[in-house]
PDB file of all heavy atoms in Angstrom:
ATOM      1  N   ILE A  90    -129.216-143.817 100.435  1.00 85.00           N
ATOM      2  CA  ILE A  90    -128.637-145.013 101.040  1.00 85.00           C
ATOM      3  C   ILE A  90    -127.126-144.858 101.130  1.00 85.00           C
ATOM      4  O   ILE A  90    -126.539-143.971 100.526  1.00 85.00           O
ATOM      5  CB  ILE A  90    -128.952-146.278 100.219  1.00 85.00           C
ATOM      6  CG1 ILE A  90    -128.343-146.160  98.826  1.00 85.00           C
ATOM      7  CG2 ILE A  90    -130.440-146.552 100.164  1.00 85.00           C
ATOM      8  CD1 ILE A  90    -127.838-147.446  98.284  1.00 85.00           C
ATOM      9  N   TYR A  91    -126.542-145.760 101.893  1.00 89.00           N
ATOM     10  CA  TYR A  91    -125.101-145.929 101.809  1.00 89.00           C
ATOM     11  C   TYR A  91    -124.809-147.414 101.918  1.00 89.00           C
ATOM     12  O   TYR A  91    -125.616-148.190 102.430  1.00 89.00           O
ATOM     13  CB  TYR A  91    -124.340-145.105 102.844  1.00 89.00           C
ATOM     14  CG  TYR A  91    -124.429-145.553 104.274  1.00 89.00           C
ATOM     15  CD1 TYR A  91    -123.391-146.274 104.855  1.00 89.00           C
ATOM     16  CD2 TYR A  91    -125.510-145.219 105.076  1.00 89.00           C
ATOM     17  CE1 TYR A  91    -123.438-146.656 106.187  1.00 89.00           C
ATOM     18  CE2 TYR A  91    -125.565-145.593 106.400  1.00 89.00           C
ATOM     19  CZ  TYR A  91    -124.530-146.315 106.954  1.00 89.00           C
ATOM     20  OH  TYR A  91    -124.591-146.692 108.265  1.00 89.00           O
ATOM     21  N   LEU A  92    -123.675-147.797 101.373  1.00 90.00           N
ATOM     22  CA  LEU A  92    -123.264-149.193 101.393  1.00 90.00           C
ATOM     23  C   LEU A  92    -121.964-149.316 102.163  1.00 90.00           C
ATOM     24  O   LEU A  92    -121.114-148.439 102.096  1.00 90.00           O
ATOM     25  CB  LEU A  92    -123.049-149.725  99.972  1.00 90.00           C
ATOM     26  CG  LEU A  92    -124.202-149.668  98.998  1.00 90.00           C
ATOM     27  CD1 LEU A  92    -123.821-150.352  97.692  1.00 90.00           C
ATOM     28  CD2 LEU A  92    -125.456-150.284  99.552  1.00 90.00           C
ATOM     29  N   GLU A  93    -121.852-150.421 102.877  1.00 92.00           N
ATOM     30  CA  GLU A  93    -120.600-150.761 103.547  1.00 92.00           C
ATOM     31  C   GLU A  93    -120.184-152.145 103.077  1.00 92.00           C
ATOM     32  O   GLU A  93    -120.998-153.066 103.058  1.00 92.00           O
ATOM     33  CB  GLU A  93    -120.769-150.780 105.063  1.00 92.00           C
ATOM     34  CG  GLU A  93    -120.856-149.431 105.684  1.00 92.00           C
ATOM     35  CD  GLU A  93    -120.811-149.488 107.205  1.00 92.00           C
ATOM     36  OE1 GLU A  93    -120.943-150.568 107.790  1.00 92.00           O
ATOM     37  OE2 GLU A  93    -120.641-148.422 107.791  1.00 92.00           O
ATOM     38  N   TYR A  94    -118.939-152.260 102.728  1.00 92.00           N
ATOM     39  CA  TYR A  94    -118.400-153.540 102.272  1.00 92.00           C
ATOM     40  C   TYR A  94    -117.128-153.809 103.048  1.00 92.00           C
ATOM     41  O   TYR A  94    -116.249-152.946 103.127  1.00 92.00           O
ATOM     42  CB  TYR A  94    -118.128-153.480 100.769  1.00 92.00           C
ATOM     43  CG  TYR A  94    -117.649-154.782 100.181  1.00 92.00           C
ATOM     44  CD1 TYR A  94    -118.462-155.907 100.179  1.00 92.00           C
ATOM     45  CD2 TYR A  94    -116.380-154.884  99.616  1.00 92.00           C
ATOM     46  CE1 TYR A  94    -118.025-157.106  99.633  1.00 92.00           C
ATOM     47  CE2 TYR A  94    -115.937-156.069  99.057  1.00 92.00           C
ATOM     48  CZ  TYR A  94    -116.765-157.180  99.077  1.00 92.00           C
ATOM     49  OH  TYR A  94    -116.332-158.367  98.533  1.00 92.00           O
ATOM     50  N   THR A  95    -117.057-155.000 103.632  1.00 93.00           N
ATOM     51  CA  THR A  95    -115.874-155.363 104.412  1.00 93.00           C
ATOM     52  C   THR A  95    -115.170-156.594 103.837  1.00 93.00           C
ATOM     53  O   THR A  95    -114.391-157.230 104.534  1.00 93.00           O
ATOM     54  CB  THR A  95    -116.246-155.596 105.889  1.00 93.00           C
ATOM     55  OG1 THR A  95    -117.272-156.584 105.969  1.00 93.00           O
ATOM     56  CG2 THR A  95    -116.698-154.310 106.551  1.00 93.00           C
ATOM     57  N   GLY A  96    -115.477-156.922 102.605  1.00 91.00           N
ATOM     58  CA  GLY A  96    -114.745-157.994 101.938  1.00 91.00           C
ATOM     59  C   GLY A  96    -115.586-159.200 101.591  1.00 91.00           C
ATOM     60  O   GLY A  96    -116.742-159.328 101.985  1.00 91.00           O
ATOM     61  N   ASP A  97    -114.964-160.082 100.844  1.00 86.00           N
ATOM     62  CA  ASP A  97    -115.583-161.305 100.335  1.00 86.00           C
ATOM     63  C   ASP A  97    -115.922-162.257 101.486  1.00 86.00           C
ATOM     64  O   ASP A  97    -115.046-162.622 102.266  1.00 86.00           O
ATOM     65  CB  ASP A  97    -114.606-161.965  99.362  1.00 86.00           C
ATOM     66  CG  ASP A  97    -115.211-163.113  98.601  1.00 86.00           C
ATOM     67  OD1 ASP A  97    -116.443-163.242  98.558  1.00 86.00           O
ATOM     68  OD2 ASP A  97    -114.428-163.891  98.018  1.00 86.00           O
ATOM     69  N   LYS A  98    -117.170-162.626 101.587  1.00 84.00           N
ATOM     70  CA  LYS A  98    -117.618-163.504 102.681  1.00 84.00           C
ATOM     71  C   LYS A  98    -117.665-164.977 102.281  1.00 84.00           C
ATOM     72  O   LYS A  98    -117.511-165.848 103.111  1.00 84.00           O
ATOM     73  CB  LYS A  98    -119.011-163.085 103.169  1.00 84.00           C
ATOM     74  CG  LYS A  98    -119.091-161.647 103.633  1.00 84.00           C
ATOM     75  CD  LYS A  98    -118.316-161.413 104.890  1.00 84.00           C
ATOM     76  CE  LYS A  98    -118.506-160.016 105.379  1.00 84.00           C
ATOM     77  NZ  LYS A  98    -117.297-159.282 105.597  1.00 84.00           N
ATOM     78  N   ASN A  99    -117.918-165.256 100.991  1.00 83.00           N
ATOM     79  CA  ASN A  99    -118.083-166.648 100.579  1.00 83.00           C
ATOM     80  C   ASN A  99    -116.963-167.142  99.661  1.00 83.00           C
ATOM     81  O   ASN A  99    -117.098-168.174  99.014  1.00 83.00           O
ATOM     82  CB  ASN A  99    -119.446-166.865  99.924  1.00 83.00           C
ATOM     83  CG  ASN A  99    -119.632-166.006  98.697  1.00 83.00           C
ATOM     84  OD1 ASN A  99    -118.697-165.366  98.239  1.00 83.00           O
ATOM     85  ND2 ASN A  99    -120.839-165.987  98.180  1.00 83.00           N
ATOM     86  N   LYS A 100    -115.875-166.382  99.586  1.00 81.00           N
ATOM     87  CA  LYS A 100    -114.666-166.776  98.858  1.00 81.00           C
ATOM     88  C   LYS A 100    -114.872-166.998  97.363  1.00 81.00           C
ATOM     89  O   LYS A 100    -114.197-167.805  96.750  1.00 81.00           O
ATOM     90  CB  LYS A 100    -114.044-168.043  99.484  1.00 81.00           C
ATOM     91  CG  LYS A 100    -113.805-167.949 100.966  1.00 81.00           C
ATOM     92  CD  LYS A 100    -112.750-166.929 101.286  1.00 81.00           C
ATOM     93  CE  LYS A 100    -112.472-166.954 102.774  1.00 81.00           C
ATOM     94  NZ  LYS A 100    -112.301-165.687 103.361  1.00 81.00           N
ATOM     95  N   ASN A 101    -115.812-166.262  96.760  1.00 81.00           N
ATOM     96  CA  ASN A 101    -116.006-166.376  95.316  1.00 81.00           C
ATOM     97  C   ASN A 101    -115.396-165.184  94.563  1.00 81.00           C
ATOM     98  O   ASN A 101    -115.558-165.073  93.357  1.00 81.00           O
ATOM     99  CB  ASN A 101    -117.484-166.531  94.973  1.00 81.00           C
ATOM    100  CG  ASN A 101    -118.294-165.285  95.245  1.00 81.00           C
ATOM    101  OD1 ASN A 101    -117.804-164.327  95.851  1.00 81.00           O
ATOM    102  ND2 ASN A 101    -119.548-165.291  94.825  1.00 81.00           N
ATOM    103  N   ASN A 102    -114.728-164.289  95.298  1.00 77.00           N
ATOM    104  CA  ASN A 102    -114.053-163.115  94.723  1.00 77.00           C
ATOM    105  C   ASN A 102    -114.998-162.158  94.014  1.00 77.00           C
ATOM    106  O   ASN A 102    -114.591-161.440  93.101  1.00 77.00           O
ATOM    107  CB  ASN A 102    -112.915-163.538  93.786  1.00 77.00           C
ATOM    108  CG  ASN A 102    -111.839-164.299  94.511  1.00 77.00           C
ATOM    109  OD1 ASN A 102    -111.440-163.929  95.610  1.00 77.00           O
ATOM    110  ND2 ASN A 102    -111.393-165.388  93.923  1.00 77.00           N
ATOM    111  N   VAL A 103    -116.252-162.147  94.435  1.00 81.00           N
ATOM    112  CA  VAL A 103    -117.258-161.245  93.878  1.00 81.00           C
ATOM    113  C   VAL A 103    -117.961-160.556  95.041  1.00 81.00           C
ATOM    114  O   VAL A 103    -118.391-161.224  95.984  1.00 81.00           O
ATOM    115  CB  VAL A 103    -118.289-162.027  93.018  1.00 81.00           C
ATOM    116  CG1 VAL A 103    -119.399-161.115  92.546  1.00 81.00           C
ATOM    117  CG2 VAL A 103    -117.605-162.696  91.843  1.00 81.00           C
ATOM    118  N   PRO A 104    -118.097-159.240  95.000  1.00 86.00           N
ATOM    119  CA  PRO A 104    -118.839-158.549  96.065  1.00 86.00           C
ATOM    120  C   PRO A 104    -120.346-158.805  95.921  1.00 86.00           C
ATOM    121  O   PRO A 104    -121.059-158.077  95.243  1.00 86.00           O
ATOM    122  CB  PRO A 104    -118.477-157.082  95.862  1.00 86.00           C
ATOM    123  CG  PRO A 104    -117.991-156.983  94.465  1.00 86.00           C
ATOM    124  CD  PRO A 104    -117.481-158.320  94.065  1.00 86.00           C
ATOM    125  N   ASP A 105    -120.811-159.864  96.552  1.00 80.00           N
ATOM    126  CA  ASP A 105    -122.215-160.269  96.468  1.00 80.00           C
ATOM    127  C   ASP A 105    -123.124-159.328  97.233  1.00 80.00           C
ATOM    128  O   ASP A 105    -122.713-158.683  98.195  1.00 80.00           O
ATOM    129  CB  ASP A 105    -122.403-161.674  97.049  1.00 80.00           C
ATOM    130  CG  ASP A 105    -121.598-162.716  96.319  1.00 80.00           C
ATOM    131  OD1 ASP A 105    -121.808-162.888  95.106  1.00 80.00           O
ATOM    132  OD2 ASP A 105    -120.759-163.342  96.976  1.00 80.00           O
ATOM    133  N   ARG A 106    -124.357-159.317  96.819  1.00 78.00           N
ATOM    134  CA  ARG A 106    -125.388-158.532  97.491  1.00 78.00           C
ATOM    135  C   ARG A 106    -125.452-158.845  98.992  1.00 78.00           C
ATOM    136  O   ARG A 106    -125.635-157.972  99.815  1.00 78.00           O
ATOM    137  CB  ARG A 106    -126.724-158.862  96.829  1.00 78.00           C
ATOM    138  CG  ARG A 106    -127.835-157.943  97.155  1.00 78.00           C
ATOM    139  CD  ARG A 106    -129.005-158.286  96.258  1.00 78.00           C
ATOM    140  NE  ARG A 106    -129.087-157.303  95.224  1.00 78.00           N
ATOM    141  CZ  ARG A 106    -130.013-156.354  95.179  1.00 78.00           C
ATOM    142  NH1 ARG A 106    -130.924-156.303  96.025  1.00 78.00           N
ATOM    143  NH2 ARG A 106    -130.023-155.449  94.262  1.00 78.00           N
ATOM    144  N   GLU A 107    -125.270-160.115  99.344  1.00 76.00           N
ATOM    145  CA  GLU A 107    -125.334-160.536 100.747  1.00 76.00           C
ATOM    146  C   GLU A 107    -124.170-159.984 101.566  1.00 76.00           C
ATOM    147  O   GLU A 107    -124.271-159.821 102.774  1.00 76.00           O
ATOM    148  CB  GLU A 107    -125.346-162.062 100.852  1.00 76.00           C
ATOM    149  CG  GLU A 107    -126.544-162.727 100.209  1.00 76.00           C
ATOM    150  CD  GLU A 107    -126.438-162.813  98.675  1.00 76.00           C
ATOM    151  OE1 GLU A 107    -125.320-162.965  98.136  1.00 76.00           O
ATOM    152  OE2 GLU A 107    -127.491-162.698  98.029  1.00 76.00           O
ATOM    153  N   ALA A 108    -123.051-159.703 100.921  1.00 80.00           N
ATOM    154  CA  ALA A 108    -121.864-159.214 101.627  1.00 80.00           C
ATOM    155  C   ALA A 108    -121.832-157.695 101.728  1.00 80.00           C
ATOM    156  O   ALA A 108    -121.046-157.145 102.492  1.00 80.00           O
ATOM    157  CB  ALA A 108    -120.606-159.705 100.924  1.00 80.00           C
ATOM    158  N   ILE A 109    -122.670-157.033 100.959  1.00 85.00           N
ATOM    159  CA  ILE A 109    -122.676-155.574 100.953  1.00 85.00           C
ATOM    160  C   ILE A 109    -123.817-155.086 101.832  1.00 85.00           C
ATOM    161  O   ILE A 109    -124.981-155.395 101.584  1.00 85.00           O
ATOM    162  CB  ILE A 109    -122.849-155.019  99.518  1.00 85.00           C
ATOM    163  CG1 ILE A 109    -121.687-155.494  98.644  1.00 85.00           C
ATOM    164  CG2 ILE A 109    -122.925-153.495  99.541  1.00 85.00           C
ATOM    165  CD1 ILE A 109    -121.866-155.191  97.182  1.00 85.00           C
ATOM    166  N   GLY A 110    -123.477-154.359 102.868  1.00 79.00           N
ATOM    167  CA  GLY A 110    -124.492-153.843 103.778  1.00 79.00           C
ATOM    168  C   GLY A 110    -125.164-152.607 103.209  1.00 79.00           C
ATOM    169  O   GLY A 110    -124.521-151.576 103.027  1.00 79.00           O
ATOM    170  N   ILE A 111    -126.445-152.715 102.882  1.00 83.00           N
ATOM    171  CA  ILE A 111    -127.207-151.583 102.352  1.00 83.00           C
ATOM    172  C   ILE A 111    -127.949-150.949 103.521  1.00 83.00           C
ATOM    173  O   ILE A 111    -128.723-151.613 104.204  1.00 83.00           O
ATOM    174  CB  ILE A 111    -128.204-152.039 101.267  1.00 83.00           C
ATOM    175  CG1 ILE A 111    -127.440-152.716 100.130  1.00 83.00           C
ATOM    176  CG2 ILE A 111    -129.018-150.856 100.762  1.00 83.00           C
ATOM    177  CD1 ILE A 111    -128.334-153.378  99.110  1.00 83.00           C
ATOM    178  N   LYS A 112    -127.712-149.662 103.735  1.00 88.00           N
ATOM    179  CA  LYS A 112    -128.301-148.972 104.880  1.00 88.00           C
ATOM    180  C   LYS A 112    -128.964-147.681 104.426  1.00 88.00           C
ATOM    181  O   LYS A 112    -128.434-146.975 103.562  1.00 88.00           O
ATOM    182  CB  LYS A 112    -127.231-148.680 105.919  1.00 88.00           C
ATOM    183  CG  LYS A 112    -126.545-149.958 106.396  1.00 88.00           C
ATOM    184  CD  LYS A 112    -125.444-149.680 107.361  1.00 88.00           C
ATOM    185  CE  LYS A 112    -124.821-151.009 107.742  1.00 88.00           C
ATOM    186  NZ  LYS A 112    -123.924-150.925 108.844  1.00 88.00           N
ATOM    187  N   LEU A 113    -130.092-147.382 105.019  1.00 88.00           N
ATOM    188  CA  LEU A 113    -130.790-146.132 104.723  1.00 88.00           C
ATOM    189  C   LEU A 113    -130.182-144.987 105.518  1.00 88.00           C
ATOM    190  O   LEU A 113    -129.862-145.135 106.700  1.00 88.00           O
ATOM    191  CB  LEU A 113    -132.265-146.229 105.095  1.00 88.00           C
ATOM    192  CG  LEU A 113    -133.189-146.953 104.146  1.00 88.00           C
ATOM    193  CD1 LEU A 113    -134.587-147.045 104.739  1.00 88.00           C
ATOM    194  CD2 LEU A 113    -133.248-146.258 102.799  1.00 88.00           C
TER     195      LEU A 113
END
Side-chain angles (χ1 to χ4, degrees):
I90 62 144
Y91 72 101
L92 302 185
E93 285 189 348
Y94 184 64
T95 56
D97 189 17
K98 303 292 185 234
N99 60 9
K100 308 293 184 221
N101 69 351
N102 297 317
V103 175
D105 300 300
R106 194 171 256 254
E107 297 78 33
I109 300 171
I111 301 172
K112 302 177 181 191
L113 281 175

